[in-house]
Amino acid sequence: MEGPYIRIEETGEVIPLAETVTTVGRGTGVDVRLADPTVSRLHAEIVRHGPYAYVADLGLSRNGTRVNGRLVARRVLDEGDVLSFGAARCRVGGIPREDVAAEVELRRSASPELTRREHDVLTSLCRPALSDEAFVAPATAREIAADLVVTEAAVKQHLLRLYQKFRIPEGPNRRVRLANEVIALGLVRPLPPAERADYPPRATTADRGEPAVGVPPPRRREPDRPTAEADGAVVGTDGGPGVGASLSRAAGGRSSGTGYGIT
């Protein structure tokens, strides 16, 4: 077969990739239909740009999308890559090989490898910011536990491991900083309209006393310190980088317009 294609491992069916977007899922209206209960009706897309193609998970299934066993949000595909949509496996072919020198290949933010349960925890944590509600805080450990029907202690253990995997240092608003990092990496996606309507209302940031989405609280003022003229010593009064700078570094200098304001 000429051109890029995807082969369903279970049936051996070979389907050519569309010129622009090929949809993958369990629904009747997708281009690549996978009859597996772990696959959502609209699970992922394979997008072509000239000779290149990348897979994009749509975040509508808890089972996620994997490339060669690694959970991904988006990833450029190479010849022979194995795609896993839930438990359904496919393989891509017909993609031209390209020799790119290592020194000129673009670097990209690497997301850590996640277990299915860790992905569930992150999805539940970030769900408020991906809804249509305003001024919401990320979900608490208790709310995540209720959402996933697990114990609060188990959720806290998962959060501790996630802080380490995403290198979120200790300090105030650690849960908020984790949510911002996850959203910046594109590991979670906005809720579909049907799920937004079914999801219970959240407490506002004013109720919790936490930072609001995109509205950083006023910076804490430090007490006046002696100046160099008073005691002959130079005393710095720099309060550190602001919220925008920290979030820009975490997001690689990009701003998606979605996230939580942090101190």
Side-chain angles (χ1 to χ4, degrees), residues 5 33 41 46 52 67 82 89 104 106 110 125 128 143 150 157 176 191 195 207 216 251 263:
Y5 63 87
R33 190 179 183 189
R41 287 177 295 175
I46 300 177
Y52 307 106
V67 177
V82 176
R89 287 165 56 91
V104 300
L106 294 177
L125 172 73
E143 290 169 338
V150 296
Q157 288 297 319
V176 174
L191 288 170
E195 289 190 29
D207 296 332
T263 56

Side-chain angles (χ1 to χ4, degrees), residues 138-224:
T140 65
R142 177 175 297 180
E143 290 169 338
I144 297 172
D147 184 26
L148 302 181
V149 195
V150 296
T151 65
E152 187 175 349
V155 171
K156 290 180 178 180
Q157 288 297 319
H158 283 299
L159 287 174
L160 287 175
R161 285 194 291 270
L162 288 167
Y163 292 146
Q164 295 173 352
K165 285 189 174 185
F166 286 91
R167 299 180 181 179
I168 305 298
E170 294 184 2
N173 300 318
R174 200 178 189 187
R175 184 164 42 85
V176 174
R177 286 181 281 136
L178 173 62
N180 275 332
E181 179 71 7
V182 170
I183 292 172
L185 290 173
L187 294 179
V188 292
R189 298 294 180 195
L191 288 170
E195 289 190 29
R196 293 180 190 173
D198 295 338
Y199 200 72
R202 317 287 307 203
T204 65
T205 52
D207 296 332
R208 294 185 189 170
E210 296 189 16
V213 176
V215 184
R219 293 179 59 183
R220 183 177 56 192
R221 294 188 58 186
E222 297 185 2
D224 295 337

Side-chain angles (χ1 to χ4, degrees), residues 5-7 9 67-68 77-83 89-97:
Y5 63 87
I6 183 170
R7 179 167 61 87
E9 295 281 274
V67 177
N68 300 325
L77 298 174
D78 292 320
E79 175 71 17
D81 277 347
V82 176
L83 306 181
R89 287 165 56 91
C90 303
R91 189 181 296 270
V92 293
I95 298 177
R97 296 184 182 275

